[in-house]
Amino acid sequence: MTTLFEDFSPNTYNEWKESAIKSLKGADFDKKLKTTNPEGIEIEPIYFSNPTKSTFGAERSELPWLITEFIQINDIKTANKAALSTLNNGANAILFDAQFVDLNASDCALLLNNIRLEYAPVYFENLKIWDEIISYFNTHLKPSTQISSLSNIGLDPIGNLEKGAIFEPKEIEKIIANFVPEQPFSIFNIKGTHFKNAGANTIEEIAFTIAKGLEYLNLLKKVGIKQFPFHFTLATGSDYFMEIAKLRAFRLLFQGLLAQFGYSPQTIIIHSKSCEINKTVFDKENNMLRNTTEAMSAIIGGTDSICILPFDYLSETTSIGSRMSRNLQSILANESYFDKVDDMAKGSGYIESLTEEICNKTWALLLQIEAPGGYIAAYNDGFITEKIKQSKNKLVSNLETRKTVLLGTNKFPNLHEIINTAPNKVTNTGGVSEHRLAESFEQIRIETEQRFLQTGKRKTFYLLPFGNLAIRKARINFAINFFGVAGFETVELEGFEDVQMAIAEMINLDKDYIVLCGDNESWNSCLQPIFEAVGVEKFILAGHPKILNPELKNLNIKHFIYEGCNILEVLKSF
């Protein structure tokens, strides 16, 4: 019996390309259909699958990913109660943040009371009295299941550099002295989340994290430890396919390095956590959508646990925010069956190609880091922070010119939303300074709302339509969206065909600003008289200054709004 597809011969890439070139009708194939992503990887318009090929890490844990709940410890009993509640409502792992408490062994006993670690592992971050916690775990946690062995103390002493603190090599030696073979938990968690949250691109994030892992490998080799569980935490961003390929590339690269160091094959545990750089205060429900694609990327990429921050964590986390974070993953597992397939991306030509490209570019960057003596030397030389700074500046520039869109922040704002208190900021970690891209936009919007509370007024922009109906309507919609980003009010005036009538109407207005929204041809007759009637400080042209004729350029118009302008600079000028 033959199948339908056997009657058709498969097309080659060149055959498809020839057909595409004909459809382009003379347009350049490469310029029209090929793109380059922020990591410098050229994206082809088509990829061919290879069902027999997979870059998936062979040593990935066989368990489904763990739904991990983030709990900030402010009060020990409250945190324990929250952990028990969330474990009874869909989560199967807990991430405790001890940043604001000095957690000791007796506190740990209260914190973990009634939590069955053989079924639900716990992870820590920002521990201070780590030796007591290790001692507690050695005493009370017995090896019983594969799940229980996933618990992690969360230490990353080399990461002190990134917090602006001093790194003491003796601290690692002291930590390693507490290592016991066959220990039913792990000690180190090598973190890369802050690289992403500071602005590093995908290649930099995993190269810096792997380079830091190499430092630990070297230290372990010196003391003769040949078997050691490696945990990593990476931030998951919105670039869907890149994030899938990133985890696959990371696992492949580090497993290869383990082999070079003579380590026996072992599972690398990768924890994925929501990245914060792309999260927003305004239109916070969009964070749920971002969280969904990020969780899907992490699962398909082969993560071992996912911690999704509540969509409203930047304001005040509500019970619904935490519930949605858990249910998001539960739906992907129980209704979409993401936990039933080991390697969903296997054979995908695009993802396999991205994985190889990421591996190659990451390896090249790793060689640069290793050249001066490894991660610590490269960090102290400023190489790491300078790389992140350059990538961050590109991100900021793209956001301010709206090449990159943060929905509800720099484009399509919710004009009816009012927030007048400053948002919670991502913690500044000193050397590697984390931030959110939306902060500058949110600040100008909040200042508008605070001014409205004090005076009862908003800056108002009157949109003056002129000329061709279709073009002026498009420019009016553009202006409403543009000024709405700052929370400014816009008022659409009736369309005018007569310049003097338009000027007479404006004289009757208690105007803040007038925005001329007309087609380019109408400018020849209306722009100069309207500009002169309004005045240079109050007149705004919806259009690009480059398309003005020489006579109109001589008017020295001050304010323009157009696609590609720096929206943040323009809004701050009013």
Side-chain angles (χ1 to χ4, degrees), residues 1-8:
M1 180 179 176
T2 61
T3 64
L4 175 65
F5 293 105
E6 290 177 356
D7 294 331
F8 301 91

Side-chain angles (χ1 to χ4, degrees), residues 147-188:
I147 288 286
S148 65
S149 65
L150 294 176
S151 290
N152 182 267
I153 302 300
L155 302 184
D156 183 14
I158 295 177
N160 289 336
L161 285 170
E162 298 134 21
K163 298 177 182 179
I166 298 173
F167 165 64
E168 295 288 352
K170 289 184 179 179
E171 185 179 1
I172 290 187
E173 295 173 11
K174 184 180 176 183
I175 294 170
I176 292 174
N178 285 269
F179 173 72
V180 178
E182 306 303 323
Q183 211 167 33
F185 62 94
S186 55
I187 296 175
F188 292 125

Side-chain angles (χ1 to χ4, degrees), residues 433-449:
S433 179
E434 299 180 56
H435 73 291
R436 290 182 303 106
L437 291 172
E439 286 178 8
S440 298
F441 287 89
E442 291 166 353
Q443 189 56 44
I444 192 172
R445 179 91 182 260
I446 288 169
E447 288 172 1
T448 298
E449 302 303 339

Side-chain angles (χ1 to χ4, degrees), residues 371-383:
Y375 178 82
I376 295 171
Y379 187 91
N380 288 332
D381 288 345
F383 178 82

